[in-house]
Amino acid sequence: MATFISVPLKKSSEVELVKPLSKFVTATYPAGEEQAEYLRSVEELNKLRKSALGRPLDKHESSLEILLRYYDQLCSVEPKFPFSENQLCLTFTWKDAFDKGSLFSGSVKLALASIGYEKTCVLFNAAALASQIASEQNLDNDEGLKTAAKFYQLASGAFGHIRDTVLSALNREPTMDISPETVGTLSNIMLAQAQEVFFLKAASDKMKDAVIAKLANQAADYYGDAFKQCQYKDNLPKYFYFQEVLPVLAAKHCIMQANAELHQSILAKQKKRFGEEIARLQHAAELVKTVATSHDEYVSVKDLTEKINRALTAAKKDNDFIYHDRVPEVKDLEHIGKAALVKPTAITPPLSQKFADLFEKMVPMAVQQSMSNYGQRKAETVNRLVGTMREATNLCNGVLASLNLPAALEDLSGDSIPQSIAEKARAVVQLGGLQSIEQLIRDLPELLTRNREILDEALKMLNDEETTDNELRSKFNQRWNRTPSGDLYKPLRAEGSNFSNILDKAVQADQVVRDRYNAHCDMITLLCKPENELNAAIPSANPTKTLQGSEVVNVLRSQLAQLDEMKRERETLEGEIKAVTFDMSAVFLTSLAQDGAISEEQMSLSKLDQLYGAYNQRVQATLRTQEELLGQVQTSHQEFSSLKQSNTEANQREEVLKKLASAHDSYVEISNNLREGTKFYNDLTEILLKFQNKCSDIVFARKTERDELLKDLQQSIAREPSAPSFNVPAYQSAPAAPAGGPTPAPRTVFTGQPQQAQQQPPVMKPNPPARPPPPSFNPQAASPNPAATPTGPPNSNPPPLAPPSQAQGPPYASYPGYYQMPMGYNPYAYGQYNMPSMPSMPSMPNMPNMPNMPYMPYQQTPGQGGYPAAPPGGQPYPGYPQQPPQQQPYYPQQ
């Protein structure tokens, strides 16, 4: 009775893990100890996969431990790498566990770029191996029973987990072995076997018969459910595996029910219900008789049958002679209770006892993405605060330059360079002057062109692969059943379009900077000249020394000093804002662990407001201070201007000084813009190179997938029939066979080897080739051996014939390459002579003709058209051309 069902393992193809994972690590993490550790972990992961899937596994717990450890590692790795078709694309190929395929087509297999698919198949193998380990246990001792029950429940839980998650993990139709229907059935089978093990344990421990009966009845119920699932699911019985499992399940259902009835009968005997005892034993005997009759080749019930029969005989004897209790009908018996002591093991990683996360320090991709979004929000906040202060400072400088301050206060003599202008001229020279700016302007187009080329090359790879995919899709139609490249590349194309827009905006910004440089180029050139030349270029004016000690000049100088102090505070504040740091990874990890998701936007905005709220208030305070000071400066400047002597020379000098001050401010701003532009293009180059690598990786993965699919399609096309079916002519249709007639000889083609099993019924073959017209024959001549096929020309000696091993029927002609028969050969003269004597007759070239014997009607093979009976002696067949007598039969060559 100890027949237990185990599940075969799936087989996987080798997958290159090291190269794509290492590329992601090097592109994501900076060079250093952390990156080196992750690269070593990638190597260990690849070794672990080879140990779990790259070799045959023993039916031992150590092998199962390796599979579970690899499954746990996949669960740990999945959230830490961006596994998808359009990011980190790894294609996993698995064969169907139950479909054995054929010599030409091979097994059914499925290749998917999904880590969820890999997890599902690895868990299937873990469940299958657990079932094999359990089925190998010795159930005669407690240790074996405990181990078997544990692994059957683990297998049931694993199959049940696949049933619940496979469709969401794959997002497409899976192979039949991991379909929800199949793994659901396997889960029930494993649970039934675990319950049976508990029944065996209870019977071995000689527990109460009521308990044993309930355990057995529950096991019968589980086996019955599994049998119904196998029987009524359309796809399951197509597998040979389930065709073998079905009778075992049916037998186990009956056996467990018989055991329940047996132990319940003992309980009835104890309660002195002797009629019930006999009824239950009779029902049990009927159940085991059914098993012995229908399923004896799968499960042996000899011992159980003898035990039940002995108990039944004794019960009947006692009842007949002593108790005379009425035997009730089976339907009237009280139902036996059920006791379920098993349940599927919950699949909650880690399942391995020795699991150690290879990428423990690596944060999940959800946290990485949240950190990236947080970094962008932080950068936007910092740029907004710093940009606000810089814009205000530029506005302040512009206002002062329009008022010719502080140069107007320093130029009271009217014939020397104001100190502020001299300092600005020296600052321009120290920053590189015109040569520095012109070099930066010349570099920008080269950087732009390089980025354009990288982006165009990446998009070209996508376009070429998509064109190839569309061509193959139009060629194979619905057979080309992979994700269209156009749909798969939408995120990448959106990203590429975004990069293209960024470059377009950068070109516009470059032009604005270039126009501004052209507007201030002359004044910047003047600032770069030596001090004497600069002084000579500035027009002279009448002195205004009388204003040097006036109160308005002192007020203006005080106000300008306050503005300078405000600018220095802004520089300090800008440094403090840029120096703010906070590690949000711990916050995101905590949220992910507690809630299973991260509300990144809400958490990031709340933290940024907490970090930069005070700085934002300080920035707004400087803006208000600047606004007040500028208003005071403008009022004081109006009073200062009214006191100055106004003339043409003074106005010209003041205008030049204003332009020089404005040129200095523009130079600083243009220089900063160009340096930021250069840094922007260099940073964008690295980003575009990563984008190009991403496109290259996915195109390579799609090419590999395309080649694999083309190979499968070629094999599929090779298995299809090369020509359509055609209609058989009406004269070839077989008439109804005469009732009770003899079975004709099977249609065979003699190949020169002894033919075997000639008495077997003929095999029906669709669309046989047309039979040639029957030849004319000489009644005075007959072939000595109708089983021989001459291979030479009519006038040459035929080759020797291989003697058949038993009596042969007349062979039918194999038309291609069929040679002419000897003169007088009659292939239709079946029954003219003693057939068993034919094999002993020698094959001789010039054998004398056989005596003329009556012609027997030809009995056609079922499914083939027959010929009419022979005409009267010497007359031709009606409807066929008559040939001269003594002419050899003619077989047409095709």
Side-chain angles (χ1 to χ4, degrees):
M1 190 184 77
T3 300
F4 287 87
I5 298 168
S6 60
V7 181
L9 273 67
K10 292 173 69 68
K11 294 182 180 179
S12 174
S13 302
E14 186 175 353
V15 178
E16 175 59 52
L17 295 178
V18 176
K19 184 177 179 180
L21 294 182
S22 298
K23 183 180 290 186
F24 172 80
V25 168
T26 54
T28 306
Y29 298 93
E33 181 59 31
E34 184 182 27
Q35 184 189 99
E37 182 180 352
Y38 292 155
L39 292 176
R40 289 193 296 269
S41 298
V42 168
E43 295 284 351
E44 290 298 322
L45 178 63
N46 189 52
K47 292 179 182 178
L48 181 58
R49 188 182 195 276
K50 289 183 178 179
S51 298
L53 307 177
R55 61 184 180 88
L57 297 177
D58 298 329
K59 297 177 183 179
H60 193 269
E61 292 185 42
S62 60
S63 300
L64 180 61
E65 177 69 20
I66 295 174
L67 268 177
L68 294 178
R69 192 160 75 247
Y70 179 55
Y71 175 79
D72 290 338
Q73 192 60 65
L74 288 176
C75 294
S76 173
V77 165
E78 183 178 18
K80 298 180 180 180
F81 289 87
F83 295 107
S84 66
E85 282 187 288
N86 54 9
Q87 294 188 59
L88 186 55
C89 185
L90 293 176
T91 302
F92 300 98
T93 304
W94 288 82
K95 294 183 178 180
D96 192 307
F98 304 125
D99 185 82
K100 302 305 179 183
S102 64
L103 178 62
F104 300 101
S105 62
S107 301
V108 174
K109 59 184 178 180
L110 177 64
L112 284 181
S114 167
I115 192 69
Y117 177 51
E118 174 85 346
K119 284 173 50 184
T120 298
C121 295
V122 171
L123 186 59
F124 181 95
N125 273 10
L129 186 58
S131 72
Q132 295 178 12
I133 295 173
S135 64
E136 293 290 322
Q137 298 301 312
N138 181 8
L139 302 182
D140 295 333
N141 57 66
D142 288 350
E143 189 65 29
L145 289 169
K146 290 179 181 178
T147 303
K150 180 181 74 171
F151 285 123
Y152 279 136
Q153 291 178 90
L154 173 62
S156 177
F159 285 131
H161 183 78
I162 295 173
R163 174 196 59 209
D164 298 335
T165 60
V166 62
L167 295 181
S168 60
L170 270 62
N171 292 323
R172 62 162 294 171
E173 193 68 23
T175 51
M176 194 54 62
D177 56 342
I178 57 174
S179 66
E181 295 84 2
T182 303
V183 291
T185 302
L186 293 175
S187 177
N188 286 349
I189 292 174
M190 297 299 118
L191 195 64
Q193 295 187 149
Q195 180 74 17
E196 182 182 354
V197 171
F198 272 94
F199 157 76
L200 295 176
K201 178 71 168 62
S204 174
D205 294 345
K206 297 182 179 179
M207 298 179 69
K208 294 181 179 180
D209 291 292
V211 174
I212 299 176
K214 291 179 180 180
L215 292 175
N217 197 34
Q218 183 66 68
D221 194 44
Y222 284 150
Y223 277 120
D225 291 343
F227 177 79
K228 290 177 183 177
Q229 283 192 337
C230 282
Q231 190 176 27
Y232 295 120
K233 294 295 183 183
D234 295 336
N235 295 320
L236 301 185
K238 294 180 181 179
Y239 284 117
F240 180 73
Y241 173 82
F242 284 98
Q243 292 174 357
E244 288 187 338
V245 166
L246 269 174
V248 175
L249 295 177
K252 286 294 191 77
H253 172 68
C254 294
I255 291 171
M256 288 294 102
Q257 202 170 355
N259 275 290
E261 296 288 357
L262 173 61
H263 288 277
Q264 193 70 19
S265 72
I266 298 175
L267 188 63
K269 182 178 181 181
Q270 294 172 356
K271 296 180 179 179
K272 301 186 182 303
R273 299 174 183 172
F274 302 106
E276 178 184 345
E277 176 191 9
I278 295 174
R280 292 192 182 280
L281 289 173
Q282 286 177 342
H283 188 207
E286 292 173 359
L287 290 170
V288 294
K289 183 179 179 181
T290 301
V291 176
T293 303
S294 304
H295 312 298
D296 185 53
E297 60 179 312
Y298 298 100
V299 181
S300 175
V301 290
K302 181 179 179 181
D303 295 339
L304 181 60
T305 302
E306 293 176 355
K307 185 176 182 180
I308 293 173
N309 288 336
R310 284 197 304 268
L312 180 60
T313 301
K316 283 184 176 180
K317 182 178 179 181
D318 292 344
N319 193 54
D320 291 343
F321 287 96
I322 302 174
Y323 306 114
H324 303 288
D325 195 7
R326 185 183 68 86
V327 179
E329 296 289 336
V330 175
K331 64 181 180 179
D332 298 330
L333 295 175
E334 182 181 352
H335 291 291
I336 304 173
K338 300 175 184 178
L341 296 185
V342 296
K343 62 179 181 179
T345 302
I347 304 301
T348 305
L351 301 175
S352 170
Q353 299 177 356
K354 302 178 182 179
F355 173 67
D357 190 0
L358 297 174
F359 300 89
E360 183 177 5
K361 296 181 181 179
M362 183 182 291
V363 297
M365 282 302 301
V367 177
Q368 294 183 32
Q369 186 64 38
S370 298
M371 289 293 295
S372 176
N373 293 339
Y374 169 76
Q376 292 179 2
R377 297 181 193 278
K378 178 185 174 183
E380 290 173 359
T381 302
V382 171
N383 292 336
R384 176 171 53 80
L385 295 176
V386 172
T388 300
M389 291 190 296
R390 287 184 177 179
E391 289 178 3
T393 300
N394 291 335
L395 175 63
C396 178
N397 293 335
V399 172
L400 294 180
S402 65
L403 300 177
N404 193 27
L405 294 175
L409 299 179
E410 300 165 354
D411 190 36
L412 297 180
S413 63
D415 57 357
S416 62
I417 301 176
Q419 182 180 356
S420 62
I421 298 297
E423 291 176 355
K424 291 178 179 179
R426 286 193 293 270
V428 169
V429 173
Q430 289 176 358
L431 291 175
L434 278 178
Q435 184 178 2
S436 174
I437 286 186
E438 290 177 350
Q439 182 62 42
L440 291 173
I441 291 176
R442 285 195 298 269
D443 291 342
L444 288 182
E446 297 179 3
L447 298 175
L448 173 66
T449 302
R450 180 180 64 182
N451 288 333
R452 286 280 190 195
E453 290 175 352
I454 295 173
L455 180 60
D456 292 343
E457 180 62 26
L459 296 178
K460 182 178 181 298
M461 287 190 291
L462 299 181
N463 293 334
D464 293 345
E465 199 284 327
E466 183 175 353
T467 300
T468 304
D469 181 72
N470 292 336
E471 291 175 354
L472 292 172
R473 189 175 304 280
S474 62
K475 179 178 180 181
F476 293 105
N477 297 325
Q478 68 274 12
R479 290 186 177 184
W480 197 252
N481 56 358
R482 70 171 184 168
T483 306
S485 296
D487 296 341
L488 190 63
Y489 295 158
K490 283 182 179 179
L492 290 174
R493 293 197 181 280
E495 193 174 355
S497 177
N498 183 41
F499 288 138
S500 181
N501 293 334
I502 290 174
L503 288 176
D504 292 339
K505 292 180 180 178
V507 171
Q508 296 175 5
D510 294 344
Q511 187 61 41
V512 171
V513 173
R514 193 175 289 107
D515 293 342
R516 187 170 183 180
Y517 167 74
N518 293 332
H520 296 278
C521 181
D522 294 338
M523 289 294 106
I524 294 174
T525 303
L526 188 59
L527 286 173
C528 295
K529 290 183 177 182
E531 186 172 347
N532 56 347
E533 295 184 16
L534 177 61
N535 190 19
I538 300 175
S540 300
N542 294 329
T544 57
K545 294 181 180 181
T546 55
L547 296 176
Q548 288 183 357
S550 65
E551 182 180 358
V552 67
V553 173
N554 295 333
V555 170
L556 272 175
R557 285 176 176 171
S558 175
Q559 293 170 345
L560 292 177
Q562 293 180 29
L563 286 175
D564 290 339
E565 181 64 24
M566 182 197 66
K567 293 178 184 177
R568 287 192 292 270
E569 289 180 0
R570 283 180 177 172
E571 292 177 357
T572 304
L573 182 58
E574 180 177 336
E576 293 178 2
I577 291 175
K578 291 182 177 179
V580 172
T581 57
F582 183 79
D583 186 8
M584 284 289 290
S585 60
V587 178
F588 290 142
L589 282 172
T590 303
S591 176
L592 183 63
Q594 292 178 352
D595 305 332
I598 301 175
S599 301
E600 181 274 325
E601 183 177 3
Q602 178 182 353
M603 299 172 67
S604 297
L605 293 178
S606 175
K607 193 63 182 179
L608 291 173
D609 183 63
Q610 178 183 347
L611 293 174
Y612 293 100
Y615 291 107
N616 187 41
Q617 294 178 3
R618 291 173 61 183
V619 169
Q620 296 301 322
T622 63
L623 295 180
R624 290 192 295 270
T625 300
Q626 174 179 305
E627 185 177 359
E628 294 175 0
L629 288 175
L630 286 179
Q632 295 173 7
V633 167
Q634 287 176 338
T635 302
S636 299
H637 183 266
Q638 288 178 358
E639 185 177 354
F640 172 77
S641 299
S642 64
L643 295 176
K644 289 177 62 177
Q645 296 179 1
S646 179
N647 54 51
T648 304
E649 293 178 353
N651 291 337
Q652 290 178 352
R653 180 179 177 82
E654 185 174 354
E655 190 67 27
V656 171
L657 292 177
K658 288 180 182 179
K659 290 182 179 180
L660 289 174
S662 178
H664 166 266
D665 296 338
S666 298
Y667 177 87
V668 173
E669 186 176 357
I670 291 171
S671 179
N672 290 335
N673 290 339
L674 290 174
R675 287 187 172 87
E676 289 177 357
T678 302
K679 183 178 183 300
F680 162 78
Y681 281 124
N682 289 329
D683 294 343
L684 184 61
T685 299
E686 295 182 6
I687 297 174
L688 289 176
L689 287 174
K690 291 181 180 179
F691 175 73
Q692 186 184 44
N693 290 335
K694 187 190 299 185
C695 295
S696 176
D697 291 343
I698 190 174
V699 167
F700 178 78
R702 293 283 288 179
K703 181 180 181 298
T704 304
E705 181 185 13
R706 180 187 69 204
D707 295 342
E708 188 73 19
L709 185 55
L710 278 174
K711 181 180 177 182
D712 293 342
L713 284 175
Q714 289 171 356
Q715 293 178 351
S716 174
I717 293 172
R719 294 193 299 267
E720 294 179 353
S722 58
S725 59
F726 50 87
N727 296 325
V728 180
Y731 74 88
Q732 294 186 18
S733 300
T743 301
R747 177 184 176 98
T748 59
V749 178
F750 188 69
T751 59
Q753 301 294 332
Q755 303 295 312
Q756 301 293 335
Q758 296 294 327
Q759 280 72 29
Q760 296 179 357
V763 179
M764 300 294 291
K765 296 184 178 180
N767 302 329
R771 179 176 295 159
S776 299
F777 66 95
N778 186 355
Q780 301 299 324
S783 174
N785 191 350
T789 303
T791 58
N795 297 327
S796 63
N797 293 333
L801 302 175
S805 59
Q806 56 180 315
Q808 304 287 314
Y812 295 107
S814 177
Y815 305 121
Y818 204 88
Y819 295 97
Q820 295 180 349
M821 306 304 294
M823 181 180 297
Y825 177 73
N826 183 4
Y828 306 102
Y830 189 86
Q832 296 183 22
Y833 35 78
N834 187 8
M835 292 299 294
S837 64
M838 292 305 296
S840 61
M841 296 180 65
S843 177
M844 302 174 60
N846 297 318
M847 180 179 288
N849 293 335
M850 298 289 292
N852 189 14
M853 303 182 71
Y855 188 84
M856 300 295 294
Y858 173 71
Q859 300 295 334
Q860 69 276 5
T861 302
Q864 296 180 347
Y867 289 105
Q875 296 184 13
Y877 277 85
Y880 288 95
Q882 186 174 3
Q883 298 181 1
Q886 300 299 327
Q887 185 175 352
Q888 295 184 3
Y890 173 74
Y891 281 75
Q893 304 294 318
Q894 293 187 357

